[in-house]
Amino acid sequence: MKLFKNVAISLLLFSAFLTAPANASEATPLLDITNTDIALVDNEAAILEYVVVQDRGLKLSFDMERAIAAGASPEILETGEIFNDYSLAVQDPYSRWANKVWGHWCGPRHSGPQAPMDDLDAACMRHDECYGANGYFKCFCDANLIAEIESIKGSFEGRKKHTANAIVAFFKAARLWCRK
């Protein structure tokens, strides 16, 4: 079932990339999965339902207005807010948006050097180390981060849970432009 979910989401993301507008002022929903079983699988799928792609996939954002209008849960809205913070920091890591997403290692320009504060922060540290050794936006580094967070997030609660879901949703959407 997990393989089916990942394949289905990957196919939907790829099709969204192929149809993304070239004009930066146009915005296209990344996924429209309201009426599919995929939306029920996990929080990331629910987040991706409201992710908008601009600039041929190079700019990702969570459409807060559309999510509110659709009656998205407070958890989805909080996760979407974290998604947007992370996305803005990735787009311009030197801007005021380049803030920590979690701990000492989660978020652009936040690579320690302190020890990770918990298991989510440790996953981000390994992701940063993978980028350091192999180059930024390497697909396998992002895939490893997604897999690790998905394997540990079951016990997360509150903001930590929302942050983990936002990070996973971001890197699933960012597969559009990761580097092999």
Side-chain angles (χ1 to χ4, degrees):
M1 179 67 182
K2 187 170 184 153
L3 176 62
F4 169 76
K5 174 190 79 170
N6 287 339
V7 169
I9 289 173
S10 294
L11 288 172
L12 288 168
L13 289 171
F14 182 70
S15 68
F17 173 71
L18 292 177
T19 60
N23 185 333
S25 64
E26 297 178 32
T28 302
L30 180 62
L31 298 177
D32 184 7
I33 57 176
T34 306
N35 296 318
T36 70
D37 292 335
I38 296 171
L40 304 175
V41 172
D42 61 20
N43 194 328
E44 296 88 38
I47 298 304
L48 290 172
E49 180 178 346
Y50 301 106
V51 171
V52 174
V53 177
Q54 294 177 294
D55 294 340
R56 301 293 274 162
L58 297 176
K59 183 178 179 186
L60 306 170
S61 63
F62 179 86
D63 188 340
M64 190 67 71
E65 289 180 14
R66 192 164 67 91
I68 291 169
S73 71
E75 292 81 14
I76 297 298
L77 298 176
E78 183 175 348
T79 304
E81 186 177 317
I82 297 166
F83 181 101
N84 281 341
D85 287 346
Y86 195 87
S87 185
L88 287 169
V90 168
Q91 291 168 40
D92 185 3
Y94 297 100
S95 76
R96 66 184 182 93
W97 297 106
N99 54 7
K100 292 180 188 177
V101 174
W102 187 262
H104 305 295
W105 293 85
C106 297
R109 295 187 54 209
H110 295 285
S111 297
Q114 304 92 326
M117 66 179 221
D118 60 19
D119 48 356
L120 177 58
D121 205 23
C124 291
M125 178 187 73
R126 285 186 280 282
H127 182 249
D128 288 0
E129 289 171 345
C130 186
Y131 273 9
N134 300 290
Y136 284 95
F137 303 113
K138 287 293 189 175
C139 294
F140 67 90
C141 295
D142 297 346
N144 289 342
L145 176 66
I146 290 167
E148 185 172 356
I149 291 175
E150 286 183 336
S151 74
I152 61 174
K153 72 177 187 172
S155 63
F156 295 176
E157 295 180 355
R159 182 138 179 104
K160 183 176 181 180
K161 175 183 170 185
H162 303 314
T163 300
N165 286 328
I167 292 169
V168 169
F170 178 85
F171 282 102
K172 283 183 177 181
R175 287 180 180 169
L176 299 171
W177 43 266
C178 67
R179 298 178 184 141
K180 306 288 182 221

